[in-house]
Amino acid sequence: MSSESKFGEYGGQYVPEALMPAIEELTDAYQRYVLDNEDGFMDEFRERLRDFGGRPTPLQRADRLSERYDRDVYLKREDLLHGGAHKLNNALGQVLLAKYMGKERIVAETGAGQHGTATAMACAYLDMDCEIYMGRTDINRQRPNVFRMRIHDAEVNPVDIGSGTLKEAINETMRDWATNVEDTHYVIGSIVGPHPFPRMVRDFQSVISEEAREQIREQAGRLPDSVVACAGGGSNTMGTFHEFVGDEDVDLVAVEAGGSSLTIEEDEGLAPHSASLSTGDEGVLHGARTKLLQSTDGQILESHSVSAGLDYSGVGPELAHLADEGRVRPVNVGDDAALEAFHRLSKMEGIIPALESSHALAYLEENPDELGDLVVLNVSGRGDKDLDTVIEESDKRNLDAAPTMEVFEHGE
Amino acid sequence: MGSEIRNAFADDPALVSYVAAGDPDAESTKEYVRALVRGGTDVVELGLPFSEPIAEGPTIQQAIRRALDAGMTPDRYFDLVAELREEVDVPLVCMTYYNLIYQYDAGDGREGPEPFVAAAAEAGISGIIVPDLPVDESDPLKDACKKHGLDLVFIVAPTTTDERLDRMLDRASGFVYVQGRLGTTGARSDVSDDTHGSLDRLAETDLPKAVGFGISERGHAREIVAGGADGIIVGSAFVDIVAEQDDAADRLEAKARELKQGALAGAPDLPEPEGK
Ligand SMILES: Cc1ncc(COP(=O)(O)O)c(C=O)c1O
């Protein structure tokens, strides 16, 4: 492992000067506690992930999907991690690290609310003050998670500016951090932001691929032909890929949100998708040089996805680098296909996937032959948080796969 | 060698005034800059609006939003600067975020810091401030600024370590931007202790030192200059007036005059001006 700040040309530390000393302090703590396991930090982290988090999560052969696609499909069940998504791996790691660093207060941003929930949970567990910033649009589409954060005694601060999604929430959290930097740690929710966040978050999430690689060898007797995960910022993607990066015969497929179309509406400042890895241009956002959805002038475009957790205009610098190198294959699927995949898995396997994870499942449906005979797919989270959105969006589209709720809606 | 910006600090404590270019439109910006200069502004910081202004508080965020909604772009910004330079003779400093510089497309196949700085120099910009570009990542922009004779201004925060300060002072020119307090831009009602601490650390520096973040009244200006600053930087207090619109030009002129007089009143070797 290395503590370099760049992945090729990507990465770096582009933040206001007021934050630089905190970032240097964090870089030092990352080196000592995470990379060098000083004071047994990593041992404590792994132990807490097991006892509090419920690790290891299963790698489950999905029998009916395997039959449908005529190949072996294994699901890494991050939906079974405590809190219902992979996000706890990172949140627990960072809150614990903040404790080791002597910080008193945690701030975090959240899109889908999964990272906010995981952070609030980790803060309740480790007894830290917690404030979460969340865009107004996301609050409206992820209400159950807002309540969950509140139940764990976190403050939830609505962000009204712009489109009210993840990008604005990150801006606002950075402002809070810049104001309170001396006693506050910012638990960033994905492999984005200034160094050391992209590496550190990846290291915390790599437990997914450590387990999956061992599990698949045990259960299938060999390495998979492909590993598939959905990419918003890219934390579950890199977590699922990391231990396979050196296995050159394993195809690493990052599935982005194609939204309603892959176009750009420059006049509106809007991209009706979030496929920054496959379609974005290099630029600087939120502390890192990476691939971004932006106008020709360099203004950041609003992104869109039916899934709040993928709705972000940037992507982690490591993924951008691995995509340029040809090691990671970026692809995307649209909102409709993701919704159908949501219903398909729920019906066929008894697992309700997060809308984010449904994107990976939709790619499997659309292109099974490109994935080889043995596929590992990360179910990054469970879909309970998405039920309101799914009912509404399925109705709008008259999705055949969706159950109708109408008969129940005429009572007293 | 005295740069144009440095010269603006030479005679008396300087007032550096910020407005967002294109808020609410380009014509108004010209009128407001003229008014600020009439009021005693020595350097104008003209914001080139970026969609993600992470160092700004709500006042300037909203100004940037208005300017973007009204269609401000880097090329229109440079046109505005060129027009302004025909009317006012104070130095203009470009305040913006790194992605706009990084992404700048000169239209002839060249992109990035060098063509951006070339276009800025051509339009009449004297210096650049980039709040999300720490000294560690600044070499490409610094080289371009050197080549075209522009100053690159760095922000010193209350948390800046001595070692970082040395690195910044190595590369800084024009003036040193002293961030008066932690957090984001925005008018406040007091002067932070951090300001005094930072000024003490910079006492030996021969570049002019201007303090910004939170200054809105005559009394702050006086206290900061009396504490050793060579100038003050005021943004949100002006942008508030622009946002309200009523008599904006006259009120900007009056506010600039009030702040400039406050700064003069704080200067140890200048006589306290008569009256208020
Ligand atoms: C369940 C789930 N999967 C995926 C994501 C996307 O984020 P990342 O790409 O960082 O894993 C999120 C984000 O909130 C999420 O909640």
Side-chain angles (χ1 to χ4, degrees), chain A residues 129-147:
Chain A
D129 287 344
C130 181
E131 259 179 77
I132 307 287
Y133 291 87
M134 188 170 185
R136 185 73 72 177
T137 309
D138 289 338
I139 287 183
N140 291 335
R141 56 180 166 173
Q142 306 279 308
R143 289 189 73 74
N145 272 341
V146 178
F147 289 120

Side-chain angles (χ1 to χ4, degrees), chain A residues 5-6 9 11-22 24 161-162 167-168 170-172 174-176 178-182 281-287 289-290 292 294-302, chain B residues 48-58 61-62 65 68 72-75 98-100 102-105 131-137 140 155-161 163-165 167-168 179 182-184:
Chain A
S5 84
K6 300 241 160 94
E9 288 290 290
Q13 299 177 313
Y14 297 86
V15 294
E17 174 58 27
L19 289 176
M20 277 311 297
E24 289 180 344
I161 206 155
K167 159 167 92 64
E168 286 78 20
I170 294 180
N171 291 339
E172 222 36 60
M174 289 230 174
R175 293 186 179 105
D176 182 313
T179 309
N180 301 296
V181 62
E182 281 157 323
D281 278 333
E282 199 178 328
V284 174
L285 177 66
H286 296 146
R289 191 194 285 195
T290 187
L292 305 173
Q294 56 186 321
S295 73
T296 45
D297 283 337
Q299 306 293 356
I300 307 304
L301 302 172
E302 306 288 353
Chain B
L48 164 57
F50 176 52
S51 56
E52 318 301 316
I54 55 173
E56 317 295 349
Q61 268 181 65
Q62 280 154 14
R65 193 72 256 162
L68 285 174
M72 186 46 69
T73 65
D75 285 330
Y98 196 54
N99 197 49
L100 296 191
Y102 186 79
Q103 204 59 32
Y104 186 73
D105 183 345
D132 64 343
L133 185 70
V135 63
D136 322 71
E137 308 278 0
I155 299 176
V156 175
T159 47
T160 298
T161 57
E163 189 248 333
R164 294 190 59 76
L165 185 59
R167 264 188 280 163
M168 261 182 248
Q179 179 178 337
L182 284 176
T184 54

Side-chain angles (χ1 to χ4, degrees), chain A residues 84-87 111-115 189-191 230-237 308-310 354 356-357 380-382 385:
Chain A
H86 70 292
K87 297 282 176 184
Q114 287 301 107
H115 173 59
S190 191
I191 55 164
C230 66
S235 70
N236 89 85
T237 321
L310 301 184
E356 290 79 9
S357 321
S380 55
R382 68 172 190 231
K385 68 187 174 62

Side-chain angles (χ1 to χ4, degrees), chain B residues 198-262:
Chain B
S198 296
L199 286 172
D200 290 346
R201 294 168 68 200
L202 285 159
E204 303 292 301
T205 310
D206 72 310
L207 280 174
K209 298 162 278 290
V211 175
F213 277 52
I215 301 173
S216 64
E217 290 167 22
R218 180 193 158 99
H220 308 157
R222 181 160 56 78
E223 188 181 336
I224 284 167
V225 172
D230 304 293
I232 54 167
I233 306 167
V234 179
S236 296
F238 293 131
V239 171
D240 274 332
I241 294 173
V242 171
E244 285 164 18
Q245 288 293 302
D246 297 340
D247 285 336
D250 287 346
R251 288 170 61 212
L252 286 168
E253 181 180 341
K255 191 76 194 171
R257 187 163 292 124
E258 171 198 326
L259 289 158
K260 175 75 183 184
Q261 287 188 351

